[in-house]
Amino acid sequence: MDMLIGGKHISSDDLLEVKNPYDNEVIDTVPIAHRQTADLAITEANNAKDSLQEMSAFKVSNKLFNVVEKLKDNREDFARLLTLEVGKPINESLVELDRSIETLKLAAEEAKRIYGESVPLDAGLNGKGFFAFTQRLPLGVVAAITPFNYPLNLTIHKIAPAISCKNTVIIKPPTEAPLTVMKFAELLNEEFPDGVVNTVTGYGSEVGDYLVTSNGVNKISFTGSVTTGLMISQKAGMKKVTLELGGNDPMVVLKDANLDKAVTGVINGAFLNAGQVCMGVKRIIIENEVADEFCEKLVAQTEKMVMGNPLDTKTTLGTLISEKAAIQVEQTVNNAVHEGAKILTGGVRDGAFYQATVIDNVTPDMDLVINETFGPVAPIIRISDVDEAIKVANETDYGLQAGVFTSDYANAMRCAQEIEAGTVFINKQSTFRTDNMPFGGFKNSGVGKEGIKYAVEEMTKTKLIGLNLR
């Protein structure tokens, strides 16, 4: 599949193979772009700004709604391609498509709501007789650098709000899974002028770095690792940046919790997309009094997970993105066992597959829970009371989302206020997200917010216009 730049299909002599992690078969190839190609994309995106500015908000909204219908019409084809390149079960890919459609709808609606406000200058010294109002204007060119785990939905979370407020975009899709994103860019290009949407494939160390440092780009929206996010923040200069980075999300289970609901929360939160979710349940912090019963229930449900061909609708646990990623998870779990943790179920790797794993007797100082383990692992950390639960929940460099299961709303509100995370859900796992909510964390989990309305705020600049009526 070729890159899309300025409405033209651009290839390269250097090609990157995109492989199915389930059977290692080559699905397709994409060009390995270099800096001159990234520079061409920046030029085309800047040249297209005027054509997008000439469109009314009404027209931009309608065109985005047209893309919604096209995505609906091609839902099954997109889901199949997504499963082939990522390895997630087809049913999960269909859910990602449904979320992507809803996210795109939200952006189409938001295109008509780019509001300014009146400002009472007479509230300030010498402001009597002035009338002032603000406008929210596009930044110009937004570069979106996206990850492999939810390639379509997370890309739409960046480029749809960007276009809705009349920015042009350059997409740098993940090298492991670029195809679904590139196919979606073609749908957008059918509706918008050439150059409004551009794709650049290749390695982040070259083309990603060029986009970050170029003066022709006005905003970077990145989802990925903390290490790369820190490099972007250092190199971006005066650009606006939104960085959605890692998570090490806790799920606190207090002794008065509904254990069946909490177990369901872990199944849906720790094993979704083979655990490759930044807001997935990464640490289960549970009071001693109910830990044994909870573990028994969790093991029983975990062993019902079906690992197999991701295209099979019966499969509930697909592959990791690569065998290398699965080996890393395997080594991290084995190290925890060596340090005293105990595997209750799972713990076996087969190629890029890693079994859904419940591991008990985990302590907060183990690498398994100090760093983000990006795999289908549910680590159990036993604690004595709510005070210790909050302390352990906050013993991390991350602060994306958290879940607390309890029937005591005094403890619920205390946890909600004291746990350091961008979102705290009560009686729901951290993995829950609606596409209209503000999404973004504290500490090393990043800066800025996504969620369409909030992304639009991050992708616009405010101008004040004042009239002297004296």
Side-chain angles (χ1 to χ4, degrees), residues 57-363:
F58 176 83
K59 189 171 184 179
V60 170
S61 177
N62 280 358
K63 286 186 171 295
L64 287 171
F65 274 121
N66 290 344
V67 181
V68 168
E69 295 306 313
K70 291 179 179 182
L71 195 54
K72 282 183 181 178
D73 292 342
N74 292 276
R75 174 177 176 267
E76 285 74 19
D77 289 343
F78 269 87
R80 187 176 188 279
L81 180 59
L82 187 59
T83 287
L84 288 175
E85 64 177 342
V86 176
K88 67 172 62 178
I90 186 65
N91 291 333
E92 290 185 20
S93 291
L94 287 166
V95 170
E96 180 170 349
L97 260 294
D98 291 339
R99 282 190 56 201
S100 298
I101 290 165
E102 290 304 307
T103 304
L104 196 54
K105 281 183 187 176
L106 289 167
E109 293 164 356
E110 199 63 30
K112 297 181 179 181
R113 296 195 286 256
I114 315 296
Y115 298 128
E117 63 181 355
S118 61
V119 181
L121 295 191
D122 66 348
L125 186 65
N126 297 323
K128 180 69 175 174
F130 280 82
F131 174 74
F133 60 93
T134 62
Q135 289 182 314
R136 285 168 59 197
L137 305 174
L139 296 175
V141 177
V142 173
I145 304 174
T146 58
F148 71 82
N149 55 341
Y150 284 85
L152 182 60
N153 186 248
L154 293 182
T155 295
I156 291 176
H157 263 292
K158 299 177 185 304
I159 64 174
I163 293 171
S164 75
C165 54
K166 300 184 182 180
N167 294 287
T168 59
V169 297
I170 301 168
I171 309 164
K172 162 62 180 71
T175 53
E176 306 94 334
L179 303 176
T180 312
V181 174
M182 297 170 75
K183 186 175 179 180
F184 176 71
E186 298 284 350
L187 295 187
L188 283 168
N189 189 63
E190 291 173 6
E191 292 293 326
F192 289 94
D194 292 344
V196 169
V197 180
N198 306 274
T199 57
V200 178
T201 52
Y203 297 111
S205 57
E206 183 172 3
V207 292
D209 188 73
Y210 190 80
L211 294 172
V212 168
T213 56
S214 172
N215 290 330
V217 175
N218 307 100
K219 159 87 179 184
I220 302 292
S221 182
F222 168 79
T223 299
S225 71
V226 173
T227 301
T228 304
L230 289 172
M231 290 173 56
I232 288 172
S233 67
Q234 292 164 0
K235 293 181 177 182
M238 297 296 287
K239 295 180 186 66
K240 293 183 75 172
V241 296
T242 297
L243 304 175
E244 298 291 350
L245 309 178
N248 197 5
D249 294 356
M251 191 177 114
V252 173
V253 183
L254 300 181
K255 60 187 176 184
D256 55 9
N258 182 318
L259 295 186
D260 291 328
K261 288 185 178 179
V263 165
T264 299
V266 174
I267 297 295
N268 293 335
F271 306 142
L272 179 69
N273 196 23
Q276 300 169 117
V277 185
C278 60
M279 57 184 181
V281 173
K282 307 290 172 55
R283 297 174 295 149
I284 301 147
I285 301 166
I286 184 165
E287 283 196 272
N288 281 316
E289 292 178 44
V290 294
D292 287 343
E293 181 183 358
F294 176 85
C295 287
E296 184 179 338
K297 290 175 177 286
L298 178 57
V299 167
Q301 293 302 313
T302 299
E303 291 178 347
K304 293 179 182 179
M305 300 289 292
V306 178
M307 194 167 69
N309 187 339
L311 287 173
D312 188 337
T313 56
K314 294 186 179 70
T315 297
T316 57
L317 184 70
T319 69
L320 277 78
I321 190 63
S322 65
E323 184 174 8
K324 179 181 177 182
I327 290 171
Q328 185 172 358
V329 172
E330 179 185 40
Q331 290 173 343
T332 302
V333 171
N334 289 346
N335 288 341
V337 171
H338 182 73
E339 294 170 3
K342 180 182 179 182
I343 294 175
L344 301 184
T345 188
V348 177
R349 182 183 65 82
D350 181 8
F353 283 103
Y354 191 79
Q355 286 183 347
T357 300
V358 179
I359 181 167
D360 197 5
N361 299 336
V362 174
T363 57

